Amino acid sequence: MGVLAAAIAVGLAAVGAGIGNGLIVGRTVEGIARQPELKNQLQTTMFIGVGLVEAMPIIAVVIALMVM
């Protein structure tokens, strides 16, 4: 059961990160299209957000390994 729980946790974390990254990048592209002069600020904020979103699946993998 521990292996199944770990697999589900990692899978859901990956799906959540994919959705989160898609939303972040999509909204950044919209923002750049509306105000091209803010491109550098928006990209910086986007990279910070993507980094935070990507940390969650890594944490999920670590927790899954601890459960196993």
Side-chain angles (χ1 to χ4, degrees), residues 32-44:
I32 292 172
R34 291 178 189 214
Q35 294 183 334
E37 67 274 5
L38 294 178
K39 178 183 176 188
N40 292 333
Q41 291 176 334
L42 291 171
Q43 279 185 340
T44 301

Side-chain angles (χ1 to χ4, degrees), residues 11 20-21 29 34 45 49 51 54 64:
N21 284 337
V29 170
R34 291 178 189 214
T45 305
E54 285 296 322

Side-chain angles (χ1 to χ4, degrees), residues 6-28:
I8 291 172
V10 172
L12 290 176
V15 169
I19 292 170
N21 284 337
L23 291 174
I24 291 171
V25 174
R27 299 289 165 88
T28 301

Side-chain angles (χ1 to χ4, degrees), residues 30-66:
E30 288 177 10
I32 292 172
R34 291 178 189 214
Q35 294 183 334
E37 67 274 5
L38 294 178
K39 178 183 176 188
N40 292 333
Q41 291 176 334
L42 291 171
Q43 279 185 340
T44 301
T45 305
M46 178 195 71
F47 287 133
I48 292 170
V50 167
L52 292 173
V53 168
E54 285 296 322
M56 295 310 289
I58 294 169
I59 293 170
V61 168
V62 170
I63 291 173
L65 291 174
M66 289 171 43

